[in-house]
Amino acid sequence: MKQALIFDSGVGGLSVVSEIRDRMPDLHLNYVADDLFRPYGTKSEPALRARLPMLLKTLENMLLPDLIVIACNTASVTALPDIRSAVSAPVVGVVPAIKPAAEISQSKAIAVLGTPGTVRRKYVDSLIQDFASDCQIVLKGSNALVELAEQTLAGAHVDKALICNEIDDIFKNAPDIDVIVLACTHFPLLKERLAACAPSHVRWIDSGAAIAKRVESLLSRHTKTELKSKRVYPETAFLIGPSASPQRRVAFQRFGFSKVIGLCP
Ligand code: DGL
């Protein structure tokens, strides 16, 4: 049975898990949340580049995945080449869906809503230059939305005003915006609540479905003999750091991870 490892700083990768499960219901998934180092959006580029390759190599040795998904925009736009050099499995990263956003925008005004770490990276500048040079772009970084998504998934009540506060200024700066790129995997988990804060014609776009398609295509290239022989555990979410609250465990279980295990480094 083919296995993939889904990696994020927290629950954000679960938005990618949903897309992968829709497309490949038989793929065996394990999940790792780097709770100890979250939020990635506040971390420097050198700090992420120092941590992620070694961590992913250790996880690869532990779980023997056929493929690794870095289900995190911040990690992908910062350290994808370093991670690819460190591991042997194919690696799929998540990058902001700026190209499709520019293609569907009528007003040619789009916003990129990610973590501060993502929206200030050079990688994003190049995506804009290559695919959206004819668009007005508003870059909006929010760490608060990451935390609000974590709280929502853990079952806490999150006030609408807290979510709306994070995106109100997007429309003040560019009232014509008709597409918003959800450039952090945590944010699709809040999509309905974000949409309730915005004009109804605004379209919200993320990279989840494209990632699932890429995973399917890469895994279909493996022949049976290329796959490593391995023990198959129940689908498990490994949470790096202090043990998770019962509500947080339930969130992972809802997405199909029947076991939730704390990993203490
Ligand atoms: N889910 C992440 C992303 O896509 C990272 C959130 C964070 O830890 O700041 O960027």
Side-chain angles (χ1 to χ4, degrees):
M1 181 189 282
K2 295 183 185 183
Q3 298 192 49
L5 163 60
I6 315 298
F7 177 86
D8 181 43
S9 64
V11 297
L14 292 173
S15 66
V16 178
V17 165
S18 295
E19 300 284 354
I20 293 176
R21 290 206 189 283
D22 282 353
R23 203 167 177 102
M24 283 160 287
D26 295 333
L27 180 63
H28 185 280
L29 303 181
N30 286 310
Y31 192 101
V32 176
D34 190 8
D35 288 337
L36 197 62
F37 212 58
R38 193 183 64 252
Y40 281 6
T42 60
K43 304 298 185 299
S44 70
E45 192 166 341
L48 289 170
R49 291 184 66 186
R51 179 176 180 82
L52 292 172
M54 258 170 30
L55 177 56
L56 268 301
K57 183 64 201 162
T58 306
L59 296 171
E60 179 179 43
N61 291 340
M62 182 177 115
L63 298 167
L64 303 176
D66 298 297
L67 180 140
I68 297 172
V69 180
I70 304 298
C72 172
N73 290 259
T74 315
S76 300
V77 301
T78 308
L80 208 54
D82 308 280
I83 296 169
R84 286 204 169 109
S85 312
V87 301
S88 9
V91 179
V92 177
V94 182
V95 298
I98 289 170
K99 184 176 184 227
E103 283 165 2
I104 63 168
S105 172
Q106 302 283 315
S107 63
K108 295 295 166 199
I110 66 184
V112 180
L113 178 62
T115 68
T118 293
V119 299
R120 66 169 172 255
R121 293 285 185 267
K122 282 199 197 72
Y123 192 98
V124 170
D125 292 340
S126 328
L127 285 176
I128 293 170
Q129 222 163 31
D130 293 347
F131 302 114
S133 55
D134 58 340
C135 294
Q136 179 193 4
I137 307 282
V138 174
L139 295 173
K140 170 72 188 176
S142 170
N143 289 311
L145 284 175
V146 173
E147 185 48 36
L148 295 174
E150 290 285 336
Q151 289 173 13
T152 301
L153 268 268
H157 170 74
V158 171
D159 209 66
K160 181 181 178 195
L162 292 174
I163 295 178
C164 294
N165 273 347
E166 292 303 304
I167 61 164
D168 280 350
D169 59 340
I170 290 180
F171 303 101
K172 282 186 197 128
N173 293 336
D176 288 347
I177 278 180
D178 64 350
V179 183
I180 298 187
V181 179
L182 296 172
C184 169
T185 53
H186 279 74
F187 300 169
L189 300 168
L190 295 175
K191 189 163 152 185
E192 279 73 35
R193 304 204 66 193
L194 285 163
C197 304
S200 57
H201 70 274
V202 170
R203 294 168 75 179
W204 302 79
I205 180 162
D206 65 71
S207 310
I211 297 311
K213 204 169 162 193
R214 179 79 185 133
V215 167
E216 185 177 47
S217 146
L218 281 175
L219 285 176
S220 69
R221 289 185 204 166
H222 282 283
T223 65
K224 265 227 152 8
T225 48
E226 279 172 325
L227 295 175
K228 301 160 191 157
S229 81
K230 61 197 70 164
R231 302 148 288 186
V232 175
Y233 300 100
E235 291 190 309
T236 304
F238 298 92
L239 313 184
I240 301 175
S243 61
S245 67
Q247 294 89 331
R248 189 164 168 76
R249 287 172 180 271
V250 169
F252 284 97
Q253 283 159 355
R254 274 208 321 271
F255 282 79
F257 298 98
S258 52
K259 281 186 87 166
V260 182
I261 293 178
L263 285 183
C264 284

